[in-house]
Amino acid sequence: MTPIEKKLYDRSDSKCELCGSNDDLRIHLTKEEAISVDNSVLVCTTCKNQIENTTTTDPNHWRCLSDSMWNENKPVQVVAWRMLNRLRPEGWPQDLLDMMYLDEETLVWAAATGEGEDEEGKIVHKDGNGNILKDGDSVVLIKDLDVKGATFTAKRGAAVHNIKLVWDNADQIEGRVEGQHIVILTQYVKKTK
Ligand SMILES: [Zn+2]
């Protein structure tokens, strides 16, 4: 066993860090750089095969992420985030992603494989923190906004309920502020629920 393997086995208690299996453990490297404890995850063969081959991904296997996404080790968080993004069309992974928190640096690292991007060029709306917005979400404004064609300024902190995504523009949502229907740039809002 290499010193890195030894450390990973210690960190994971000799279990797959994603699903908890202790079957045939391997190292999965999360970055294109020299292998280290800080960029690697110890995974079972089932997890490893599915991570590396998108056509064999079995959504039910990945229910385990509801536990492992809370792992304190960054590389485990990165892989959990990537798999949840891959499985997002299933619905439940999106709910877990909504709960999950990655610091900015870890998010950039996780997104480096393009896993968070939408395949078919589908438009994804994200708030100022990078959280994905959906129709019906509530947001607050994080900046005073001059509203084009209106006589008022939408104030920072104002809540906008039941937003609607502008379907062909990832930077825009629509909602009501002070009774007026306005278009708001996603970068100036923060999702509240
Ligand atoms: Zn596993």
Side-chain angles (χ1 to χ4, degrees), residues 16 21 23-26 43-51:
C16 172
S21 161
D23 179 33
D24 200 4
L25 300 172
R26 310 284 177 87
V43 294
C44 69
T45 329
T46 307
C47 285
K48 190 169 170 73
N49 288 343
Q50 295 199 26
I51 292 166

Side-chain angles (χ1 to χ4, degrees), residues 38-101:
D38 298 328
N39 62 19
S40 298
V41 182
L42 195 67
V43 294
C44 69
T45 329
T46 307
C47 285
K48 190 169 170 73
N49 288 343
Q50 295 199 26
I51 292 166
E52 292 173 2
N53 183 350
T54 53
T55 60
T56 60
T57 311
D58 167 21
N60 280 329
H61 176 74
W62 297 98
R63 295 272 179 179
C64 58
L65 293 176
S66 63
D67 285 328
S68 42
M69 66 186 250
W70 303 111
N71 189 297
E72 63 186 1
N73 298 298
K74 298 272 162 72
V76 181
Q77 296 171 11
V78 163
V79 178
W81 187 91
R82 287 176 183 168
M83 292 311 292
L84 288 171
N85 269 287
R86 188 186 299 175
L87 296 166
R88 219 164 34 172
E90 297 289 316
W92 59 265
Q94 180 67 60
D95 295 338
L96 297 183
L97 280 169
D98 287 347
M99 282 190 281
M100 197 174 182
Y101 174 78

Side-chain angles (χ1 to χ4, degrees), residues 160-178:
V160 187
H161 298 293
N162 197 19
I163 62 163
K164 197 168 169 309
L165 308 179
V166 174
W167 70 275
D168 62 352
N169 189 331
D171 297 328
Q172 297 182 348
I173 57 172
E174 295 171 21
R176 276 185 178 278
V177 177
E178 298 193 17

Side-chain angles (χ1 to χ4, degrees), residues 26-43:
R26 310 284 177 87
I27 292 177
H28 170 67
L29 183 62
T30 64
K31 268 186 188 172
E32 288 186 24
E33 59 182 33
I35 196 161
S36 78
V37 174
D38 298 328
N39 62 19
S40 298
V41 182
L42 195 67
V43 294

Side-chain angles (χ1 to χ4, degrees), residues 101-115:
Y101 174 78
L102 296 188
D103 62 49
E104 207 168 320
E105 198 185 331
T106 310
L107 193 58
V108 170
W109 167 12
T113 54
E115 202 78 75

